[in-house]
Amino acid sequence: MSSMLEIRWHGRGGQGAKTASLLLADAAFDSGKFVQGFPEYGPERMGAPITAYNRISDERSPLHSNIYEPDYVVVVDVTLLDAVSVTSGLKKEGAIIINTNKSPEELKPKLEGYTGRVYTIDASSIAEEVLGNRSLSNTSMLGAVVAVSKCIPEGKFMEDVKTSLNHKFATKPQVIEKNMTAIERGMKEVKSA
């Protein structure tokens, strides 16, 4: 199934990696794709490493398992580079997107010899500036993923994710525009090596 795109998210409990993967799945579904979006975690507490996954395809996928050879890896918390083998199975023609204020070149030594594309974005600073909380970097990371992977046309994605956010935050409409701003900045501010 060559048209399938697989994404693996690495974060810590409470940082929103699961939520971002589900928002991406919603938006991809709304744009006519077949999708899977699911987390992998047990009884971990806030701050414990978690993994979430996306499969996005033009055809229905017969696969129902974790993703072991992703096209893209998203690292919501840079400290996980020292705790988890985030590049395990990552395809060389894919890419890794890391939330950090460091350059891609500075992080390459921590990537276990990965020779593919490396992208960075200071999503924590965006979250602090736009949302008032550094730990809510998941929406800017989501924007970076869409910009790098091209899994959904950006204009269509912005329409679809706003619909999802309207549904998710129906009782908190004040956070919708701020999250949309964080997503848009994530799309524009992601940097490659």
Side-chain angles (χ1 to χ4, degrees):
M1 185 172 285
S2 61
S3 65
M4 183 166 45
L5 186 72
E6 294 182 308
I7 302 169
R8 187 173 65 213
W9 297 74
H10 292 278
R12 293 189 182 275
Q15 291 180 326
K18 171 188 160 191
T19 299
S21 75
L22 296 178
L23 284 170
L24 180 57
D26 283 349
F29 178 80
D30 288 345
S31 49
K33 302 285 186 177
F34 289 92
V35 300
Q36 293 177 12
F38 55 97
E40 174 193 17
Y41 56 87
E44 289 89 58
R45 294 184 303 252
M46 182 91 68
I50 68 110
T51 310
Y53 305 95
N54 288 111
R55 282 193 179 95
I56 301 171
S57 178
D58 293 327
E59 303 170 16
R60 184 177 303 276
S61 172
L63 301 173
H64 295 283
S65 66
N66 292 346
I67 294 172
Y68 302 104
E69 295 182 350
D71 298 289
Y72 296 92
V73 165
V74 185
V75 182
V76 180
D77 188 319
V78 70
T79 66
L80 291 171
L81 295 181
D82 296 321
V84 177
S85 181
V86 297
T87 58
S88 176
L90 178 57
K91 294 175 183 169
K92 190 190 320 185
E93 61 275 8
I96 186 168
I97 307 160
I98 305 165
N99 175 14
T100 182
N101 60 3
K102 295 182 178 179
S103 71
E105 292 82 12
E106 290 176 277
L107 293 178
K108 282 186 178 182
K110 292 185 172 238
L111 300 180
E112 302 173 331
Y114 179 68
T115 59
R117 295 176 295 154
V118 179
Y119 292 84
T120 59
I121 178 167
D122 194 354
S124 294
S125 290
I126 294 170
E128 186 169 21
E129 291 168 23
V130 176
L131 304 170
N133 187 334
R134 287 186 69 78
S135 65
L136 298 177
S137 58
N138 62 330
T139 51
S140 26
M141 292 300 292
L142 177 58
V145 169
V146 171
V148 170
S149 71
K150 311 280 189 239
C151 60
I152 307 168
E154 290 182 12
K156 179 70 173 140
F157 169 73
M158 292 299 283
E159 291 173 23
D160 295 338
V161 80
K162 186 164 188 173
T163 300
S164 292
L165 288 172
N166 281 329
H167 177 71
K168 181 171 180 52
F169 295 114
T171 61
K172 299 179 189 175
Q174 68 277 10
V175 303
I176 295 168
E177 284 308 315
K178 289 181 179 182
N179 276 286
M180 292 300 295
T181 298
I183 290 169
E184 191 170 8
R185 283 191 57 188
M187 291 174 151
K188 292 178 180 173
E189 295 180 29
V190 65
K191 299 178 268 194
S192 66

